[in-house]
Amino acid sequence: GAVVSQHPSRVICKSGTSVKIECRSLDFQATTMFWYRQFPKQSLMLMATSNEGSKATYEQGVEKDKFLINHASLTLSTLTVTSAHPEDSSFYICSARDPLATDTQYFGPGTRLTVL
Amino acid sequence: DQQVKQNSPSLSVQEGRISILNCDYTNSMFDYFLWYKKYPAEGPTFLISISSIKDKNEDGRFTVFLNKSAKHLSLHIVPSQPGDSAVYFCAASMYTGKLIFGQGTTLQVKP
């Protein structure tokens, strides 16, 4: 299957700092990427849809000024958690939709964010 | 409002037997369903999918069945192997590509 990478895999930061997470599709161009977060023992919750060259679409209840998404190229989307607080600690996962198989999404390995 | 539900949080099966994981949904607009396998601290791995116009899709040991009238789908794993032990998520998709996930079912396959 297609490969999606995320960087970093794990980050620990102080409260009030900003953290950037990168999501890359390695062997296909993804016009659409998605960002999810998962709390322990819970399901994956969609945060936003990232569209190349346009603004991201955020799900209800997700603060767009808190979670900045940039999809500058067909292989890269970034999620920046601004002014992070301990309640932002979570597992963040991106996915990319293969344009040749639009009903299949491939997920990155995830990023574990811990805010102290 | 949980549009995709996996009502069994866990399932334990003996190696070699069949594992059946169930998923129910409420939105008839979903047009594609997917199953993912997930290990702790890793991203989900795609297993198998099915279009809403089909009732069965098979790939090796994995078969997904869809009952549209009941808004129910299931994943069958035959024969189950210890390496299949993981959390399994079903997900439903609409034309936008957004995936709605169920809560997950933890499968344990005992040797």
Side-chain angles (χ1 to χ4, degrees):
Chain A
V3 178
V4 175
S5 70
Q6 268 183 255
H7 178 79
S9 59
R10 188 183 297 258
V11 58
I12 300 173
C13 68
K14 292 183 179 180
S15 186
T17 60
S18 294
V19 175
K20 180 186 281 189
I21 303 170
E22 294 185 349
C23 177
R24 295 180 185 273
S25 58
L26 299 183
D27 50 5
F28 65 95
Q29 293 183 326
T31 54
T32 305
M33 291 184 175
F34 302 89
W35 287 96
Y36 297 82
R37 68 186 294 183
Q38 184 186 28
F39 292 106
K41 297 186 179 180
Q42 292 189 26
S43 185
L44 287 80
M45 300 299 296
L46 178 66
M47 298 175 63
T49 302
S50 173
N51 302 298
E52 188 268 336
S54 63
K55 291 183 180 180
T57 305
Y58 291 81
E59 294 301 301
Q60 191 174 11
V62 178
E63 300 176 58
K64 61 180 181 180
D65 295 328
K66 173 77 173 174
F67 299 99
L68 300 179
I69 291 173
N70 184 278
H71 195 154
S73 77
L74 288 172
T75 59
L76 173 64
S77 175
T78 60
L79 168 68
T80 301
V81 183
T82 62
S83 187
H85 291 284
E87 57 265 29
D88 297 324
S89 298
S90 189
F91 192 58
Y92 292 87
I93 309 172
C94 72
S95 73
R97 194 160 73 159
D98 186 342
L100 298 181
T102 54
D103 294 305
T104 302
Q105 287 184 31
Y106 296 96
F107 285 79
T111 298
R112 169 70 62 191
L113 170 63
T114 303
V115 184
L116 303 176
Chain B
D1 179 25
Q2 192 78 27
Q3 296 188 68
V4 180
K5 294 181 182 179
Q6 292 175 257
N7 292 315
S8 297
S10 63
L11 173 68
S12 183
V13 171
Q14 205 67 35
E15 181 180 6
R17 297 291 185 101
I18 184 172
S19 295
I20 300 177
L21 298 114
N22 294 303
C23 181
D24 297 294
Y25 61 96
T26 57
N27 192 336
S28 57
M29 298 298 291
F30 290 135
D31 60 358
Y32 224 81
F33 303 90
L34 306 93
W35 283 94
Y36 286 87
K37 177 181 179 180
K38 187 179 183 300
Y39 296 109
E42 292 185 14
T45 302
F46 171 74
L47 281 175
I48 192 169
S49 63
I50 187 167
S51 165
S52 61
I53 62 173
K54 295 187 176 181
D55 55 20
K56 178 183 175 181
N57 188 25
E58 190 173 353
D59 184 2
R61 295 186 298 117
F62 302 94
T63 303
V64 56
F65 296 92
L66 175 63
N67 183 334
K68 283 190 69 176
S69 60
K71 293 190 176 68
H72 176 84
L73 65 153
S74 61
L75 174 68
H76 292 211
I77 306 174
V78 181
S80 301
Q81 300 172 353
D84 295 329
S85 298
V87 180
Y88 288 78
F89 288 95
C90 72
S93 170
M94 282 189 275
Y95 65 92
T96 59
K98 288 172 21 173
L99 290 180
I100 308 297
F101 282 86
Q103 306 95 312
T105 298
T106 300
L107 172 65
Q108 183 183 24
V109 180
K110 297 180 178 178

